[in-house]
Amino acid sequence: MALLQLEQVVSNYGSINALRDISFEVNEGEIVTLIGANGAGKTTTMHTIAGLKELNGGKILLNGQDISRWETQARVKNGIVLSPEGRQVFPDFSVLDNLMMGGYLQTNETNQQTLETVYELFPRLKERAAQAAGTLSGGEQQMLAVGRALMGKPRLLMLDEPSMGLAPLIVKEIFALIQRIRDLGTTVLLVEQNARVALRISDRAYVLETGRIVLSGTAAELLVSEDVQKAYLGM
Amino acid sequence: MNKFLETVACNMGKIAVALVAALILFPWVFSSSYILRIVTVCMMYVMIALSINLLTGFLGMMTLGQAAFWGIGAYTAAILSTRLGLGMGLCMLASALAAGVLSLLVALPTMRLKGYFLTVVTLGFGEIVRLIEMNWMDLTRGPLGIAGIPSPNFFGIDLSSNRQIYYVMLVLVILSALLIFSVVHSRVGLAIMSIRDDDLAAAAMGVNVVKYKIMVFILSTMIVGVAGAFYAHYINFIDPSGFTTAASTDMLVMAIFGGLGSIPGTILGASILIILPETIRALAEYRNLVYGLIIVILMMVKPDGILGNVNFQYIRQRVQQRKEQKGGGAQ
């Protein structure tokens, strides 16, 4: 059974259909990427799964259980954690307080343990624990955003455009860390415009176009697919 | 400047205790009723500005209707004490309750709104409350106001001397400062500030954004409601002219002047804006001009307010970290 399954999910903003009949699944231990142009519905998909955007049709299943009507808090508690687009760290909070916010629904004890793991993955966050998050570099803020999401003890970690606005070298570093996170046992659902880098670390991918899934397959297949190369890899 | 802030940050507890001790001794040093009155009023505005800071500074919701809730508190206390003969303690409880229930009514339909929408709603609410105060003759006596409100008393004990009133207000301001301090420095406080910084990210972490917004709004108006009850008992006479939008704006200015999101800043800001105009009373008609100039200049020099953007807790943590590193280097 898939960890996460979307069945004909529909999501609207007023009269505009953002998602029309989206169906896909994410299996335990996978890295799955959604690729697509601006406005294709990638972020809306993430928000709908997280419960930040209401569902207007279809179903979302977590381990076969229908969670379509669950509040965001319940979804976070059950391990669906989103790291939002654009490194939305809390700029006035210290690094540590940002991380603590990530573990908002966890007990203090759990947080202390998870904090060790996060510091191990991102040693720089430990050095800067007392610094205001807004003063970190772009790459460090992205690491903090990922670390903060990890504090929620995700089974499914959703990362919305982790490469946004970062230098290629930093992007490489971040994606290596995403792989490590998966190897530590967390399933990852990734949204990326930077399709090439994302496909390299992914197991499978789906291509979104104006609210529909137009293509799917293993990452290796999509990397060599002519359509994908033309539209998203700029070849 | 940094050194100074660090020293202040590391001794914040001592400074707070010293300030409270000074305020306790104050009426025994200065017995002039004029001075006691200024400091009493000043402490009341500190309490009001703190309530605004909780809502605007920590939660990030600008309000222009705080004077309306202040008025609701004042009218509740005035009506209950003059008609039913209730004492000040019960009146304050009732005032907090009345402000809380009415703020819940405002909050339920509007707290899903963001940013300036709530500001407009509070502005409209303030006008509605003022019109009710003006026109519901049977309840509020309209523009005539309510006179003969009993002076402060506590379960039969009369507290009507200047010194006693001063201490009543001192207790109220300390309690509200402690309450707001403990809320802000708790886990809930972190959630509240995360809503201010980024409500989407906060929601993604599992914070119930709407619930916390409603809770903070109610708490803030309850505090200002109690301040209103005190005001009614203190002044003995209230009419609708005191609870206008202009008063709300003044209160908001105090919070912004001191620094949104800073409790010490609010205390400093409200105190300066209340005491300073008194010290330049000799300037007569130029007083408001000077008052206005001070605000304009401060906003130009320091747009965040006196202590806005200064987080003493983080400064303390940084000093701590530096000490640890130094200690580690020496070994």
Side-chain angles (χ1 to χ4, degrees):
Chain A
M1 188 192 305
L3 177 64
L4 179 82
Q5 193 166 4
L6 271 69
E7 283 179 6
Q8 281 149 6
V9 164
V10 177
S11 192
N12 307 323
Y13 291 104
S15 58
I16 300 163
N17 306 107
L19 303 181
R20 329 167 185 213
D21 279 347
I22 297 252
S23 300
F24 70 83
E25 55 187 43
V26 182
N27 297 309
E28 192 104 46
E30 277 186 318
I31 298 181
V32 174
T33 300
L34 301 177
I35 52 179
N38 276 333
K42 304 179 304 268
T43 297
T44 307
T45 307
M46 295 290 228
H47 284 191
T48 309
I49 297 170
L52 295 169
K53 166 83 187 74
E54 58 168 344
L55 193 73
N56 300 107
K59 266 190 206 165
I60 300 174
L61 306 172
L62 177 69
N63 271 333
Q65 193 181 5
D66 188 354
I67 60 162
S68 312
R69 302 273 157 242
W70 285 18
E71 295 274 329
T72 306
Q73 292 97 282
R75 300 187 199 200
V76 174
K77 249 191 183 150
N78 281 277
I80 299 183
V81 181
L82 168 70
S83 173
E85 189 179 1
R87 304 192 282 283
Q88 300 190 350
V89 298
F90 305 117
D92 295 339
F93 284 27
S94 68
V95 168
L96 181 63
D97 280 348
N98 261 285
L99 291 173
M100 283 305 167
M101 271 313 297
Y104 188 69
L105 296 176
Q106 309 290 330
T107 62
N108 246 337
E109 268 173 26
T110 320
N111 276 339
Q112 289 311 325
Q113 285 169 9
T114 325
L115 195 61
E116 289 304 311
T117 323
V118 171
Y119 278 162
E120 219 167 279
L121 274 168
F122 308 102
R124 239 175 298 171
L125 296 184
K126 189 174 187 176
E127 290 163 27
R128 319 230 148 163
Q131 199 171 322
T135 63
L136 298 179
S137 73
E140 287 165 344
Q141 287 192 24
Q142 185 57 58
M143 290 178 191
L144 177 56
V146 176
R148 186 181 60 182
L150 285 178
M151 291 296 291
K153 304 211 86 173
R155 288 160 71 193
L156 175 70
L157 174 64
M158 297 196 286
L159 300 172
D160 198 347
E161 302 247 9
S163 76
M164 195 193 237
L166 296 179
L169 218 64
I170 312 270
V171 172
K172 229 174 150 182
E173 200 179 330
I174 300 258
F175 277 79
L177 280 161
I178 294 173
Q179 267 182 311
R180 261 193 79 193
I181 290 166
R182 190 267 307 271
D183 295 342
L184 291 173
T186 305
T187 309
V188 179
L189 176 62
L190 196 60
V191 154
E192 261 301 334
Q193 292 214 35
N194 196 338
R196 191 192 311 270
V197 195
L199 285 176
R200 272 199 200 122
I201 65 158
S202 303
D203 299 298
R204 292 186 304 113
Y206 295 87
V207 179
L208 271 172
E209 236 167 62
T210 57
R212 283 201 182 84
I213 286 176
V214 292
L215 207 59
S216 66
T218 66
E221 280 166 14
L222 289 181
L223 260 174
V224 295
S225 138
E226 239 172 71
D227 292 341
V228 174
Q229 285 193 343
K230 255 191 214 148
Y232 304 105
L233 301 178
M235 288 198 234
Chain B
M1 191 64 193
N2 270 338
K3 262 267 162 319
F4 175 70
L5 285 179
E6 277 175 14
T7 318
V8 172
C10 294
N11 297 297
M12 204 41 119
K14 284 179 208 157
I15 293 174
V17 171
L19 180 66
V20 169
L23 284 171
I24 290 173
L25 293 175
F26 189 83
W28 303 97
V29 181
F30 298 91
S31 53
S32 142
S33 63
Y34 169 66
I35 290 181
L36 281 186
R37 215 176 162 82
I38 292 174
V39 179
T40 307
V41 169
C42 175
M43 290 192 291
M44 181 181 73
Y45 276 102
V46 166
M47 180 171 169
I48 294 170
L50 280 172
S51 79
I52 292 188
N53 199 10
L54 177 65
L55 187 62
T56 306
F58 290 101
L59 183 68
M61 310 207 73
M62 187 89 91
T63 173
L64 278 174
Q66 206 71 349
F69 291 102
W70 189 45
I72 288 165
Y75 267 96
T76 307
I79 292 164
L80 289 179
S81 61
T82 54
R83 300 208 181 160
L84 302 178
L86 290 190
M88 187 182 69
L90 286 175
C91 282
M92 280 181 177
L93 280 181
S95 294
L97 209 65
V101 169
L102 283 167
S103 69
L104 178 66
L105 290 182
V106 177
L108 281 179
T110 56
M111 278 298 159
R112 281 168 208 282
L113 301 177
K114 279 183 191 175
Y116 300 113
F117 297 108
L118 183 88
T119 313
V120 175
V121 170
T122 55
L123 190 64
F125 178 76
E127 277 308 302
I128 294 171
V129 169
R130 201 179 59 87
L131 285 173
I132 291 174
E133 287 165 358
M134 286 289 271
N135 294 302
W136 192 350
M137 295 299 286
D138 297 338
L139 188 71
T140 66
R141 291 173 36 88
L144 297 173
I146 299 177
I149 305 163
S151 284
N153 52 75
F154 198 68
F155 293 108
I157 308 162
D158 180 71
L159 298 169
S160 59
S161 82
N162 282 327
R163 209 175 264 164
Q164 286 162 332
I165 294 173
Y166 173 97
Y167 282 122
V168 170
M169 190 58 233
L170 181 60
V171 169
L172 288 177
V173 75
I174 290 175
L175 287 181
S176 29
L178 281 178
L179 177 65
I180 292 174
F181 180 87
S182 53
V183 168
V184 167
H185 287 83
S186 69
R187 180 172 159 277
V188 173
L190 218 50
I192 292 169
M193 287 184 276
S194 74
I195 294 172
R196 169 195 69 192
D197 282 359
D198 193 323
D199 56 348
L200 182 88
M205 306 292 106
V207 173
N208 191 333
V209 173
V210 174
K211 188 181 95 183
Y212 279 128
K213 278 186 181 173
I214 294 178
M215 268 170 43
V216 171
F217 190 48
I218 291 177
L219 182 60
S220 163
T221 57
M222 284 175 91
I223 292 171
V224 86
V226 172
F230 170 82
Y231 179 72
H233 285 287
Y234 177 40
I235 300 291
N236 307 122
F237 167 80
I238 55 167
D239 70 355
S241 69
F243 310 113
T244 57
T245 305
S248 291
T249 317
D250 282 345
M251 296 167 176
L252 184 63
V253 166
M254 286 176 203
I256 295 174
F257 187 82
L260 289 176
S262 165
I263 293 174
T266 306
I267 296 171
L268 212 58
S271 305
I272 290 174
L273 288 186
I274 293 297
I275 292 171
L276 203 84
E278 292 298 333
T279 60
I280 52 173
R281 205 168 254 286
L283 294 175
E285 55 261 47
Y286 293 107
R287 204 153 68 109
N288 282 333
L289 183 71
V290 174
Y291 180 86
L293 266 180
I294 292 169
I295 293 175
V296 171
I297 291 172
L298 183 89
M299 287 299 120
M300 283 166 70
V301 179
K302 229 175 161 307
D304 296 317
I306 302 173
L307 287 178
N309 252 348
V310 179
N311 189 325
F312 288 112
Q313 199 188 344
Y314 290 163
I315 296 178
R316 239 182 346 261
Q317 281 171 10
R318 275 202 292 278
V319 172
Q320 191 84 27
Q321 207 178 28
R322 213 168 48 216
K323 265 187 204 157
E324 277 167 19
Q325 277 165 5
K326 265 188 194 162
Q331 276 164 7

